[in-house]
Amino acid sequence: SAVISQKPSRDICQRGTSLTIQCQVDSQVTMMFWYRQQPGQSLTLIATANQGSEATYESGFVIDKFPISRPNLTFSTLTVSNMSPEDSSIYLCSVLRNPGSNQETQYFGPGTRLLVL
Amino acid sequence: GNSVTQMEGPVTLSEEAFLTINCTYTATGYPSLFWYVQYPGEGLQLLLKATKADDKGSNKGFEATYRKETTSFHLEKGSVQVSDSAVYFCALSDRNAGNMLTFGGGTRLMVKP
């Protein structure tokens, strides 16, 4: 498995401000992902963050709104920029273990609960 | 494209009742299948997985069998407990789709004493 921590665990922010969420993994991983879970909904992939390359964003998500950093193999950040109440969600990072094998599995962090007023 | 469909909740059961949460999928390749659980106020935890047809994943009394002929991965537990109350997500991973996880909509389970 993987031990994944996220900071902050929750926050209440004012509209128009930005929040940077950190994701730390206990060992090196190539592939990390960022997801959004809107209230009462399932998870939606925001982007894939691989170390050494630009993040790859899914349809409906753009770098200006959700800039991502991946400075090394154990750490990533997601920034939610110019927030509005519609950004209120749980944001989760995940890592891919055993890529390319039949044991390939994504493990998730505990999530960051964001409320935008 | 890939998709996962799971039964809508909430599912309300009494303690020690039998649980089934249905999950069916559509995939172009040969996906791996997963069940994740989200307890109140927490992130997602991997519950069990299966990587090929006829594999059975099991954990904490939960089981699911990868049925290629019916494209299903139904979650079952013989006797649920109040502590099993959570939201359960069925998901598939397709290496042909860049290892991206495709999630079902989630099913909320409420177990009453």
Side-chain angles (χ1 to χ4, degrees), chain B residues 64-86:
Chain B
T65 301
Y66 190 145
R67 300 286 188 202
K68 191 168 185 291
E69 64 276 14
T70 56
T71 62
S72 64
F73 193 54
H74 304 322
L75 182 68
E76 296 182 337
K77 186 174 185 181
S79 175
V80 293
Q81 306 299 313
V82 172
S83 58
D84 293 326
S85 299

Side-chain angles (χ1 to χ4, degrees), chain B residues 4-48:
Chain B
V4 176
T5 302
Q6 58 183 108
M7 64 189 291
E8 292 190 17
V11 173
T12 303
L13 296 173
S14 298
E15 208 165 21
E16 299 183 1
F18 184 86
L19 169 71
T20 300
I21 300 178
N22 290 337
C23 172
T24 57
Y25 68 90
T26 302
T28 53
Y30 299 94
S32 295
L33 301 173
F34 304 86
W35 278 99
Y36 287 88
V37 58
Q38 187 174 34
Y39 297 103
E42 299 185 12
L44 264 70
Q45 299 178 23
L46 178 66
L47 181 60
L48 53 85

Side-chain angles (χ1 to χ4, degrees), chain A residues 6 8-13 19 21 34-44 46 61 65-66 78 80 83-92 110-117, chain B residues 38 42:
Chain A
Q6 287 186 232
S9 59
R10 60 180 66 239
D11 209 342
I12 301 174
C13 300
L19 176 72
I21 302 167
W34 287 98
Y35 289 83
R36 180 175 73 182
Q37 186 182 22
Q38 294 177 300
Q41 303 295 313
S42 188
L43 280 75
T44 301
I46 296 171
F61 297 96
K65 176 67 176 177
F66 296 102
L78 170 76
V80 186
M83 289 184 283
S84 66
E86 291 71 34
D87 294 321
S88 299
S89 294
I90 302 173
Y91 292 86
L92 300 104
T112 296
R113 282 155 181 76
L114 172 62
L115 176 63
V116 184
L117 301 177
Chain B
Q38 187 174 34
E42 299 185 12

Side-chain angles (χ1 to χ4, degrees), chain A residues 90-110:
Chain A
I90 302 173
Y91 292 86
L92 300 104
C93 69
S94 74
V95 303
L96 186 67
R97 282 280 194 230
N98 304 308
S101 78
N102 62 3
Q103 296 304 312
E104 188 176 272
T105 302
Q106 279 193 39
Y107 295 92
F108 285 81

